[in-house]
Amino acid sequence: MTKRSARAAMPPGYAEMMAPWMLMTEMWRFQYETSAAAAEVILRRSLLAATGAMSLQEAVRMVLEKPATFSSSLEAMASALADGAAPQEALRAAAAPMSRRMRANAARLRR
């Protein structure tokens, strides 16, 4: 059975029925990726602090990045809602700045 014929065999309403499950799967994937990046950043910063190798710039960044990231997240969510996005789209928009920041921190600290 080819992909095309498999799609044709789907019952009516299948896509609507699966939409919540697809969203939940996407959120689980996002949570896993974000949790892994956050854990890596915490570990690397803890090691820097414990060994005395953390620079003043990194210590200040560690404190000041959180309000800036939450502000960006709130702004993205408000903008999405103002544009008429569905709640799940607003959630994706809100999560994006936090995810980007965590992944960027992990990559920067890896160097």
Side-chain angles (χ1 to χ4, degrees):
M1 187 183 248
T2 66
K3 282 187 179 182
R4 188 164 183 81
S5 63
R7 275 193 213 124
M10 286 185 205
Y14 181 78
E16 293 80 14
M17 179 183 73
M18 292 304 292
W21 292 102
M22 297 303 291
L23 177 63
M24 191 166 39
T25 303
E26 180 184 340
M27 289 293 114
W28 282 338
R29 182 188 56 79
F30 169 79
Q31 181 181 3
Y32 170 75
E33 290 173 356
T34 305
S35 297
E40 181 180 359
V41 169
I42 291 168
L43 174 68
R44 290 183 184 278
R45 283 181 170 164
S46 296
L47 289 173
L48 287 174
T51 60
M54 182 179 281
S55 66
L56 178 61
Q57 180 183 9
E58 183 64 28
V60 170
R61 181 182 305 191
M62 185 171 57
V63 173
L64 295 181
E65 72 187 3
K66 288 162 185 62
T69 303
F70 287 129
S71 174
S72 297
S73 179
L74 182 60
E75 181 182 350
M77 181 180 66
S79 177
L81 288 172
D83 290 342
Q88 60 267 28
E89 293 303 320
L91 178 62
R92 284 186 189 103
M98 290 184 276
S99 178
R100 273 194 307 270
R101 177 67 65 131
M102 282 185 259
R103 286 184 284 129
N105 280 343
R108 181 177 46 77
L109 291 169
R110 250 181 246 133
R111 291 184 249 144

XYZ file of all heavy atoms in Angstrom:
838
model
N 0.838 -1.172 0.000
C 0.000 0.000 0.000
C 0.888 1.242 0.000
O 1.778 1.366 0.819
C -0.885 -0.030 1.246
C -1.919 1.045 1.299
S -2.826 0.968 2.846
C -4.398 0.471 2.248
N 0.697 2.129 -0.917
C 1.513 3.334 -0.998
C 0.998 4.374 -0.024
O -0.106 4.261 0.499
C 1.472 3.917 -2.438
O 0.145 4.363 -2.683
C 1.895 2.895 -3.463
N 1.813 5.402 0.178
C 1.404 6.468 1.094
C 0.135 7.149 0.598
O -0.734 7.490 1.366
C 2.513 7.498 1.235
C 3.622 7.074 2.136
C 4.578 8.211 2.340
C 5.689 7.785 3.275
N 6.599 8.868 3.539
N 0.064 7.332 -0.701
C -1.099 8.018 -1.261
C -2.383 7.228 -1.006
O -3.386 7.788 -0.594
C -0.889 8.247 -2.751
C -1.946 9.109 -3.377
C -1.444 9.594 -4.733
N -2.373 10.484 -5.347
C -2.500 11.768 -5.077
N -1.739 12.303 -4.153
N -3.368 12.529 -5.697
N -2.323 5.937 -1.222
C -3.531 5.147 -1.007
C -3.854 5.016 0.482
O -5.003 4.897 0.860
C -3.402 3.764 -1.649
O -2.352 3.048 -1.049
N -2.829 5.062 1.341
C -3.072 5.008 2.778
C -3.796 6.271 3.238
O -4.687 6.223 4.070
C -1.764 4.850 3.539
N -3.407 7.425 2.684
C -4.081 8.671 3.034
C -5.523 8.654 2.560
O -6.404 9.144 3.241
C -3.345 9.853 2.407
C -2.217 10.320 3.248
C -1.735 11.665 2.766
N -0.313 11.697 3.015
C 0.623 11.917 2.133
N 0.314 12.186 0.895
N 1.878 11.898 2.459
N -5.734 8.098 1.389
C -7.081 8.059 0.841
C -7.989 7.156 1.685
O -9.187 7.366 1.743
C -7.041 7.566 -0.597
N -7.387 6.184 2.367
C -8.175 5.238 3.153
C -8.530 5.769 4.541
O -9.264 5.128 5.265
C -7.408 3.932 3.278
N -7.990 6.931 4.927
C -8.286 7.477 6.246
C -9.745 7.883 6.327
O -10.285 8.473 5.396
C -7.401 8.681 6.530
C -5.984 8.327 6.836
S -5.118 9.824 7.300
C -3.469 9.350 6.865
N -10.375 7.585 7.434
C -11.791 7.942 7.577
C -11.959 9.453 7.694
O -11.041 10.159 8.109
C -12.208 7.248 8.869
C -10.947 7.036 9.615
C -9.855 6.893 8.588
N -13.117 9.947 7.361
C -13.374 11.384 7.508
C -13.240 11.785 8.977
O -13.639 11.048 9.874
C -14.819 11.544 7.037
C -15.162 10.281 6.328
C -14.246 9.225 6.812
N -12.662 12.943 9.202
C -12.496 13.444 10.564
C -11.258 12.920 11.265
O -11.020 13.244 12.422
N -10.444 12.118 10.568
C -9.255 11.530 11.187
C -8.257 12.617 11.613
O -7.734 12.573 12.730
C -8.592 10.548 10.223
C -7.365 9.882 10.774
C -7.469 8.837 11.676
C -6.094 10.322 10.420
C -6.352 8.231 12.197
C -4.958 9.720 10.937
C -5.099 8.681 11.825
O -3.985 8.087 12.343
N -8.025 13.584 10.735
C -7.057 14.645 11.044
C -7.509 15.439 12.266
O -6.697 15.754 13.138
C -6.878 15.560 9.842
N -8.795 15.752 12.345
C -9.309 16.496 13.491
C -9.200 15.678 14.770
O -8.931 16.204 15.841
C -10.775 16.904 13.264
C -10.961 17.919 12.162
C -10.946 17.307 10.773
O -11.054 16.064 10.643
O -10.811 18.066 9.805
N -9.400 14.380 14.640
C -9.322 13.504 15.801
C -7.872 13.410 16.316
O -7.639 13.358 17.524
C -9.813 12.105 15.430
C -9.743 11.108 16.562
S -10.257 9.459 16.061
C -8.871 8.940 15.072
N -6.919 13.415 15.399
C -5.526 13.245 15.792
C -4.847 14.553 16.198
O -3.771 14.535 16.793
C -4.739 12.609 14.636
C -5.132 11.173 14.364
S -4.977 10.091 15.810
C -3.222 10.066 16.012
N -5.446 15.699 15.912
C -4.817 16.990 16.187
C -4.382 17.143 17.647
O -3.247 17.559 17.905
C -5.733 18.125 15.758
N -5.209 16.826 18.645
C -4.743 16.967 20.030
C -3.559 16.062 20.348
O -2.653 16.449 21.089
C -5.963 16.574 20.867
C -7.131 16.717 19.965
C -6.622 16.457 18.584
N -3.540 14.870 19.785
C -2.427 13.953 20.033
C -1.149 14.457 19.389
O -0.066 14.326 19.965
C -2.768 12.551 19.525
C -3.852 11.933 20.329
C -5.172 11.819 19.988
C -3.736 11.383 21.635
N -5.881 11.238 20.997
C -5.019 10.952 22.028
C -2.678 11.221 22.520
C -5.264 10.363 23.258
C -2.923 10.641 23.752
C -4.205 10.210 24.104
N -1.278 15.039 18.207
C -0.100 15.585 17.538
C 0.458 16.768 18.327
O 1.663 16.906 18.487
C -0.442 15.999 16.102
C -0.867 14.849 15.216
S 0.366 13.527 15.122
C 1.638 14.350 14.213
N -0.432 17.606 18.844
C -0.004 18.736 19.665
C 0.682 18.243 20.935
O 1.736 18.749 21.326
C -1.195 19.617 20.018
C -0.895 20.795 20.937
C 0.069 21.769 20.278
C -2.172 21.499 21.334
N 0.111 17.240 21.574
C 0.703 16.702 22.797
C 2.081 16.100 22.511
O 3.027 16.303 23.277
C -0.220 15.643 23.401
C 0.184 15.225 24.784
S -1.048 14.288 25.698
C -1.780 13.239 24.508
N 2.217 15.396 21.401
C 3.504 14.819 21.019
C 4.533 15.911 20.775
O 5.682 15.811 21.203
C 3.347 13.938 19.765
O 2.386 12.932 20.038
C 4.657 13.307 19.364
N 4.113 16.969 20.107
C 5.009 18.096 19.853
C 5.441 18.747 21.162
O 6.614 19.086 21.340
C 4.300 19.116 18.962
C 5.136 20.311 18.636
C 4.372 21.344 17.838
O 3.347 21.007 17.225
O 4.814 22.509 17.849
N 4.522 18.915 22.101
C 4.855 19.513 23.390
C 5.796 18.617 24.204
O 6.695 19.103 24.884
C 3.585 19.811 24.194
C 2.760 20.950 23.652
S 3.606 22.536 23.787
C 3.865 22.934 22.069
N 5.600 17.301 24.131
C 6.518 16.387 24.824
C 7.926 16.489 24.249
O 8.895 16.517 24.990
C 6.032 14.943 24.712
C 4.921 14.599 25.638
C 4.565 15.217 26.806
C 3.989 13.529 25.471
N 3.480 14.607 27.365
C 3.102 13.568 26.574
C 3.817 12.558 24.510
C 2.080 12.657 26.731
C 2.784 11.651 24.670
C 1.934 11.706 25.764
N 8.005 16.551 22.927
C 9.320 16.686 22.287
C 9.978 17.993 22.707
O 11.152 18.033 23.072
C 9.180 16.629 20.762
C 10.515 16.711 20.038
C 10.345 16.859 18.538
N 9.536 18.003 18.164
C 9.969 19.266 18.121
N 11.206 19.546 18.465
N 9.176 20.241 17.753
N 9.207 19.075 22.689
C 9.722 20.372 23.104
C 10.191 20.321 24.556
O 11.256 20.814 24.899
C 8.651 21.447 22.930
C 9.025 22.745 23.569
C 9.906 23.597 22.934
C 8.523 23.103 24.805
C 10.275 24.789 23.531
C 8.885 24.288 25.400
C 9.770 25.137 24.761
N 9.391 19.701 25.421
C 9.746 19.613 26.837
C 11.043 18.830 27.020
O 11.893 19.216 27.812
C 8.624 18.957 27.622
C 8.913 18.861 29.101
C 7.796 18.181 29.874
O 6.818 17.732 29.307
N 7.964 18.101 31.179
N 11.200 17.738 26.279
C 12.415 16.946 26.385
C 13.628 17.759 25.952
O 14.641 17.808 26.650
C 12.298 15.674 25.539
C 13.606 14.948 25.415
C 14.101 14.216 26.483
C 14.375 15.043 24.264
C 15.322 13.570 26.393
C 15.589 14.405 24.162
C 16.063 13.669 25.229
O 17.273 13.051 25.141
N 13.536 18.398 24.788
C 14.667 19.176 24.276
C 15.016 20.331 25.210
O 16.181 20.592 25.478
C 14.354 19.704 22.886
C 14.302 18.630 21.824
C 13.811 19.153 20.477
O 13.440 20.336 20.397
O 13.805 18.363 19.522
N 13.999 21.016 25.697
C 14.218 22.152 26.581
C 14.786 21.702 27.923
O 15.713 22.319 28.450
C 12.903 22.924 26.787
O 12.391 23.288 25.508
C 13.108 24.166 27.598
N 14.275 20.615 28.455
C 14.776 20.102 29.737
C 16.228 19.663 29.623
O 17.024 19.914 30.522
C 13.922 18.924 30.208
O 12.613 19.342 30.435
N 16.559 19.027 28.530
C 17.941 18.586 28.330
C 18.882 19.787 28.225
O 19.960 19.789 28.835
C 18.034 17.720 27.072
N 18.482 20.810 27.490
C 19.320 22.004 27.359
C 19.449 22.718 28.705
O 20.541 23.155 29.075
C 18.742 22.939 26.308
N 18.353 22.836 29.442
C 18.405 23.501 30.750
C 19.309 22.742 31.718
O 20.110 23.354 32.435
C 16.996 23.626 31.322
N 19.192 21.431 31.732
C 20.042 20.628 32.618
C 21.516 20.791 32.261
O 22.372 20.896 33.148
C 19.632 19.158 32.539
N 21.801 20.842 30.972
C 23.197 21.022 30.544
C 23.727 22.383 30.982
O 24.851 22.488 31.472
C 23.304 20.878 29.026
C 24.720 21.031 28.530
C 24.858 20.898 27.034
O 23.848 20.656 26.340
O 25.991 21.046 26.554
N 22.925 23.423 30.819
C 23.355 24.770 31.209
C 23.581 24.831 32.720
O 24.589 25.368 33.181
C 22.317 25.829 30.750
C 22.609 27.182 31.380
C 22.316 25.932 29.233
N 22.669 24.256 33.491
C 22.827 24.257 34.953
C 24.099 23.515 35.349
O 24.877 23.990 36.189
C 21.588 23.632 35.629
C 20.381 24.559 35.461
C 21.850 23.344 37.101
C 19.056 23.925 35.822
N 24.327 22.362 34.744
C 25.525 21.579 35.060
C 26.797 22.351 34.719
O 27.708 22.460 35.541
C 25.500 20.248 34.308
C 26.766 19.406 34.439
C 26.918 18.900 35.864
C 26.746 18.261 33.462
N 26.852 22.901 33.525
C 28.064 23.605 33.102
C 28.312 24.859 33.954
O 29.448 25.147 34.323
C 27.995 23.944 31.617
C 28.100 22.710 30.743
C 28.096 23.040 29.268
N 28.107 21.850 28.457
C 29.189 21.150 28.147
N 30.368 21.534 28.594
N 29.102 20.079 27.391
N 27.252 25.594 34.251
C 27.439 26.788 35.088
C 27.811 26.408 36.511
O 28.612 27.098 37.153
C 26.183 27.641 35.070
C 26.059 28.437 33.780
C 24.836 29.291 33.772
N 24.844 30.216 32.658
C 23.782 30.866 32.228
N 22.613 30.692 32.830
N 23.868 31.688 31.215
N 27.270 25.335 37.022
C 27.631 24.872 38.368
C 29.103 24.482 38.424
O 29.800 24.800 39.400
C 26.761 23.688 38.779
O 25.421 24.082 38.870
N 29.562 23.791 37.395
C 30.977 23.414 37.352
C 31.879 24.638 37.264
O 32.934 24.692 37.916
C 31.236 22.475 36.177
C 30.664 21.066 36.314
C 30.832 20.283 35.021
C 31.327 20.338 37.473
N 31.466 25.621 36.459
C 32.260 26.858 36.370
C 32.324 27.556 37.721
O 33.389 28.017 38.148
C 31.655 27.804 35.324
C 31.842 27.438 33.863
C 31.056 28.383 32.963
C 33.313 27.454 33.491
N 31.188 27.631 38.405
C 31.156 28.294 39.710
C 31.951 27.506 40.752
O 32.683 28.094 41.557
C 29.710 28.461 40.170
N 31.834 26.186 40.736
C 32.522 25.352 41.731
C 34.034 25.399 41.564
O 34.763 25.312 42.551
C 32.029 23.915 41.626
N 34.499 25.523 40.331
C 35.948 25.547 40.091
C 36.508 26.959 40.116
O 37.711 27.144 39.984
C 36.276 24.905 38.732
O 35.620 25.632 37.696
C 35.875 23.446 38.701
N 35.647 27.962 40.273
C 36.109 29.347 40.298
C 36.424 29.899 38.921
O 37.068 30.934 38.792
N 35.984 29.213 37.884
C 36.281 29.633 36.519
C 35.177 30.490 35.905
O 35.311 30.948 34.781
C 36.512 28.397 35.640
N 34.096 30.740 36.646
C 32.995 31.533 36.095
C 33.396 33.008 36.069
O 33.810 33.563 37.087
C 31.717 31.364 36.917
C 30.539 32.137 36.355
S 29.020 31.936 37.289
C 28.488 30.359 36.687
N 33.257 33.615 34.915
C 33.589 35.028 34.778
C 32.453 35.876 35.355
O 31.318 35.413 35.506
C 33.794 35.382 33.300
O 32.577 35.257 32.595
N 32.771 37.114 35.644
C 31.764 38.037 36.137
C 30.682 38.231 35.078
O 29.490 38.292 35.390
C 32.402 39.381 36.498
C 31.445 40.461 36.988
C 30.736 40.011 38.253
C 32.182 41.766 37.209
N 31.088 38.279 33.817
C 30.140 38.444 32.713
C 29.135 37.287 32.681
O 27.942 37.505 32.502
C 30.880 38.528 31.382
C 29.981 38.706 30.196
C 30.755 38.708 28.891
O 31.942 38.416 28.859
N 30.071 39.027 27.813
N 29.618 36.067 32.882
C 28.722 34.903 32.871
C 27.787 34.928 34.071
O 26.605 34.606 33.964
C 29.538 33.605 32.872
C 28.703 32.356 32.779
C 27.937 32.224 31.473
O 28.393 32.757 30.449
O 26.873 31.580 31.484
N 28.288 35.343 35.230
C 27.441 35.416 36.432
C 26.340 36.455 36.252
O 25.183 36.211 36.614
C 28.304 35.749 37.644
N 26.687 37.599 35.676
C 25.678 38.639 35.436
C 24.680 38.164 34.390
O 23.472 38.357 34.531
C 26.364 39.958 35.005
C 25.348 40.967 34.506
C 27.165 40.535 36.157
N 25.177 37.533 33.333
C 24.297 37.013 32.281
C 23.309 36.002 32.850
O 22.137 35.987 32.494
C 25.132 36.354 31.192
C 24.312 35.816 30.045
C 25.160 35.144 29.026
N 26.196 36.061 28.585
C 26.981 35.850 27.541
N 26.850 34.759 26.837
N 27.899 36.722 27.210
N 23.802 35.167 33.766
C 22.970 34.135 34.363
C 21.763 34.748 35.090
O 20.676 34.186 35.081
C 23.833 33.326 35.348
C 23.176 32.142 35.961
S 24.326 31.102 36.889
C 25.015 32.211 38.065
N 21.946 35.899 35.686
C 20.870 36.546 36.427
C 19.982 37.384 35.511
O 18.757 37.318 35.584
C 21.454 37.431 37.553
C 20.371 38.246 38.212
C 22.183 36.569 38.567
N 20.580 38.152 34.614
C 19.818 39.112 33.818
C 19.107 38.520 32.611
O 18.180 39.139 32.087
C 20.730 40.252 33.363
C 21.299 41.127 34.472
C 22.159 42.238 33.880
C 20.196 41.709 35.329
N 19.511 37.336 32.170
C 18.880 36.777 30.970
C 17.448 36.295 31.237
O 16.630 36.283 30.329
C 19.709 35.634 30.403
C 19.668 34.376 31.244
C 20.621 33.316 30.753
O 21.367 33.552 29.790
O 20.620 32.233 31.345
N 17.170 35.928 32.464
C 15.839 35.382 32.762
C 14.722 36.407 32.576
O 13.765 36.144 31.848
C 15.828 34.760 34.148
C 16.625 33.466 34.168
C 16.993 33.057 35.550
C 17.884 31.845 35.557
N 19.158 32.031 34.889
N 14.801 37.602 33.189
C 13.727 38.572 32.953
C 13.607 38.963 31.483
O 12.497 39.132 30.968
C 14.128 39.778 33.812
C 15.072 39.258 34.811
C 15.761 38.088 34.192
N 14.734 39.096 30.797
C 14.690 39.466 29.382
C 14.022 38.370 28.547
O 13.210 38.658 27.658
C 16.107 39.727 28.871
N 14.326 37.125 28.852
C 13.735 36.019 28.102
C 12.252 35.884 28.394
O 11.448 35.683 27.480
C 14.459 34.701 28.440
O 15.846 34.861 28.160
C 13.920 33.559 27.617
N 11.858 36.002 29.653
C 10.429 35.922 29.988
C 9.659 37.080 29.359
O 8.525 36.920 28.930
C 10.221 35.875 31.496
C 10.599 34.558 32.100
C 11.453 34.493 33.182
C 10.109 33.378 31.580
C 11.811 33.275 33.741
C 10.457 32.151 32.125
C 11.310 32.100 33.204
N 10.274 38.244 29.295
C 9.644 39.391 28.649
C 9.441 39.130 27.158
O 8.372 39.406 26.607
C 10.514 40.631 28.864
O 10.012 41.715 28.146
N 10.462 38.584 26.505
C 10.346 38.236 25.082
C 9.268 37.189 24.868
O 8.506 37.239 23.899
C 11.675 37.702 24.549
O 12.666 38.669 24.629
N 9.198 36.245 25.777
C 8.200 35.185 25.691
C 6.787 35.748 25.830
O 5.888 35.405 25.047
C 8.472 34.159 26.788
O 7.524 33.142 26.753
N 6.589 36.609 26.791
C 5.284 37.223 27.000
C 4.895 38.084 25.803
O 3.747 38.073 25.359
C 5.293 38.055 28.281
C 3.983 38.731 28.664
C 2.887 37.688 28.870
C 4.164 39.558 29.907
N 5.868 38.802 25.267
C 5.603 39.644 24.099
C 5.196 38.796 22.892
O 4.253 39.143 22.168
C 6.848 40.460 23.766
C 6.687 41.377 22.587
C 7.965 42.121 22.262
O 8.928 42.074 23.056
O 8.001 42.745 21.192
N 5.889 37.681 22.677
C 5.569 36.800 21.554
C 4.173 36.204 21.712
O 3.408 36.116 20.742
C 6.610 35.692 21.446
N 3.828 35.808 22.930
C 2.507 35.235 23.172
C 1.410 36.284 22.974
O 0.400 36.029 22.325
C 2.410 34.667 24.588
C 1.061 34.033 24.885
S 0.922 33.366 26.541
C 1.024 34.820 27.534
N 1.626 37.479 23.500
C 0.635 38.544 23.354
C 0.457 38.922 21.888
O -0.668 39.134 21.424
C 1.048 39.760 24.172
N 1.550 38.971 21.158
C 1.481 39.294 19.736
C 0.704 38.226 18.969
O -0.116 38.539 18.104
C 2.898 39.430 19.178
O 2.868 39.679 17.806
N 0.965 36.964 19.296
C 0.256 35.869 18.625
C -1.236 35.927 18.927
O -2.069 35.771 18.025
C 0.834 34.528 19.054
N -1.586 36.170 20.183
C -2.999 36.254 20.550
C -3.670 37.471 19.914
O -4.815 37.398 19.482
C -3.153 36.291 22.068
C -2.860 34.980 22.789
C -2.858 35.194 24.293
C -3.829 33.888 22.386
N -2.941 38.584 19.832
C -3.494 39.785 19.208
C -3.735 39.574 17.714
O -4.643 40.172 17.141
C -2.567 40.969 19.423
N -2.915 38.724 17.102
C -3.088 38.414 15.678
C -4.168 37.374 15.438
O -4.398 36.961 14.317
C -1.765 37.925 15.073
C -0.728 39.032 14.973
O -1.127 40.217 15.048
O 0.467 38.721 14.835
N -4.798 36.905 16.513
C -5.902 35.951 16.380
C -5.476 34.498 16.345
O -6.228 33.636 15.899
N -4.279 34.203 16.837
C -3.788 32.822 16.834
C -4.563 31.982 17.858
O -5.081 32.499 18.848
C -2.300 32.784 17.167
N -4.611 30.701 17.594
C -5.226 29.759 18.525
C -4.351 29.666 19.779
O -3.158 29.966 19.732
C -5.348 28.390 17.865
N -4.925 29.246 20.907
C -4.144 29.159 22.145
C -2.877 28.305 22.010
O -1.834 28.658 22.554
C -5.127 28.541 23.144
C -6.464 28.938 22.644
C -6.348 28.950 21.145
N -2.962 27.179 21.285
C -1.767 26.344 21.145
C -0.683 27.041 20.327
O 0.503 26.847 20.575
C -2.094 24.959 20.573
C -2.720 24.949 19.219
C -4.231 24.925 19.280
O -4.827 25.398 20.231
N -4.853 24.387 18.258
N -1.079 27.873 19.369
C -0.097 28.643 18.606
C 0.543 29.713 19.491
O 1.733 29.991 19.376
C -0.748 29.279 17.381
C -1.208 28.283 16.345
C -0.083 27.393 15.849
O 1.056 27.874 15.651
O -0.341 26.184 15.663
N -0.246 30.319 20.368
C 0.291 31.304 21.303
C 1.276 30.638 22.261
O 2.309 31.216 22.605
C -0.836 31.970 22.079
N 0.976 29.409 22.668
C 1.887 28.662 23.533
C 3.200 28.379 22.815
O 4.281 28.534 23.391
C 1.229 27.349 23.965
C 2.071 26.429 24.833
C 2.429 27.112 26.144
C 1.323 25.137 25.092
N 3.116 27.984 21.563
C 4.338 27.754 20.785
C 5.158 29.040 20.673
O 6.374 29.024 20.815
C 3.998 27.255 19.381
C 3.580 25.838 19.326
C 3.410 25.392 17.868
N 2.809 24.083 17.807
C 1.537 23.866 17.515
N 0.728 24.860 17.216
N 1.067 22.640 17.494
N 4.466 30.161 20.408
C 5.157 31.447 20.290
C 5.818 31.835 21.611
O 6.931 32.361 21.627
C 4.179 32.533 19.855
N 5.146 31.565 22.729
C 5.697 31.901 24.039
C 6.896 31.027 24.389
O 7.838 31.484 25.033
C 4.622 31.758 25.105
N 6.867 29.788 23.979
C 7.942 28.863 24.323
C 9.195 29.064 23.480
O 10.304 28.742 23.916
C 7.448 27.426 24.170
N 9.035 29.602 22.292
C 10.168 29.728 21.365
C 11.336 30.551 21.917
O 12.485 30.106 21.841
C 9.688 30.280 20.027
N 11.122 31.751 22.482
C 12.273 32.511 22.990
C 13.022 31.789 24.112
O 14.254 31.834 24.167
C 11.646 33.814 23.512
C 10.365 33.942 22.792
C 9.884 32.540 22.564
N 12.284 31.111 24.982
C 12.956 30.385 26.072
C 13.783 29.231 25.527
O 14.919 29.002 25.946
C 11.919 29.877 27.077
C 11.288 30.981 27.873
S 10.166 30.391 29.133
C 8.682 30.164 28.173
N 13.221 28.511 24.591
C 13.924 27.384 23.997
C 15.192 27.851 23.273
O 16.253 27.254 23.414
C 13.005 26.643 23.034
O 13.679 25.588 22.418
N 15.049 28.923 22.495
C 16.217 29.453 21.768
C 17.323 29.857 22.732
O 18.496 29.565 22.517
C 15.812 30.666 20.928
C 15.305 30.337 19.569
C 15.239 31.571 18.677
N 14.498 32.672 19.266
C 13.189 32.866 19.127
N 12.476 32.020 18.411
N 12.604 33.897 19.687
N 16.950 30.533 23.827
C 17.943 31.004 24.785
C 18.648 29.831 25.456
O 19.859 29.825 25.603
C 17.259 31.883 25.839
C 18.163 32.381 26.945
C 19.203 33.349 26.455
N 18.564 34.530 25.969
C 18.919 35.764 26.302
N 19.914 35.955 27.133
N 18.302 36.792 25.792
N 17.889 28.810 25.844
C 18.501 27.651 26.510
C 19.453 26.917 25.575
O 20.552 26.535 25.965
C 17.433 26.715 27.038
C 16.822 27.207 28.329
S 15.672 26.040 29.012
C 14.143 26.758 28.502
N 19.017 26.706 24.335
C 19.883 26.005 23.380
C 21.122 26.833 23.058
O 22.220 26.292 22.945
C 19.106 25.649 22.118
C 18.151 24.477 22.363
C 17.424 24.030 21.132
N 16.366 24.999 20.840
C 16.156 25.585 19.681
N 16.908 25.297 18.642
N 15.184 26.454 19.514
N 20.973 28.155 22.958
C 22.116 29.032 22.690
C 23.099 29.008 23.868
O 24.314 28.964 23.663
C 21.636 30.446 22.415
N 22.583 29.047 25.092
C 23.449 28.973 26.265
C 24.212 27.655 26.311
O 25.405 27.618 26.595
C 22.628 29.125 27.552
C 22.297 30.563 27.855
O 22.901 31.485 27.325
N 21.306 30.768 28.700
N 23.517 26.569 26.043
C 24.177 25.254 26.065
C 25.281 25.203 25.023
O 26.398 24.746 25.310
C 23.153 24.143 25.821
N 25.011 25.705 23.819
C 26.025 25.688 22.758
C 27.202 26.584 23.116
O 28.366 26.226 22.909
C 25.400 26.132 21.437
N 26.922 27.757 23.686
C 27.994 28.687 24.051
C 28.852 28.108 25.165
O 30.076 28.216 25.129
C 27.371 30.015 24.493
C 28.388 31.077 24.867
C 27.724 32.387 25.234
N 26.595 32.242 26.143
C 26.705 32.015 27.446
N 27.882 31.873 28.008
N 25.627 31.915 28.200
N 28.239 27.499 26.163
C 28.998 26.945 27.283
C 29.759 25.686 26.895
O 30.708 25.292 27.580
C 28.063 26.675 28.460
C 27.507 27.914 29.143
C 26.392 27.547 30.104
C 28.610 28.691 29.851
N 29.347 25.032 25.830
C 30.055 23.835 25.355
C 31.432 24.170 24.798
O 32.324 23.344 24.796
C 29.247 23.158 24.241
C 28.650 21.867 24.649
C 27.898 21.239 23.507
N 26.486 21.233 23.863
C 25.490 21.616 23.103
N 25.721 22.043 21.880
N 24.264 21.592 23.536
N 31.586 25.390 24.313
C 32.880 25.774 23.689
C 33.975 25.893 24.679
O 33.911 26.059 25.806
C 32.745 27.115 22.956
C 31.884 27.009 21.751
C 31.832 28.300 20.987
N 30.471 28.824 21.141
C 30.160 30.092 21.258
N 31.100 30.985 21.272
N 28.923 30.484 21.379
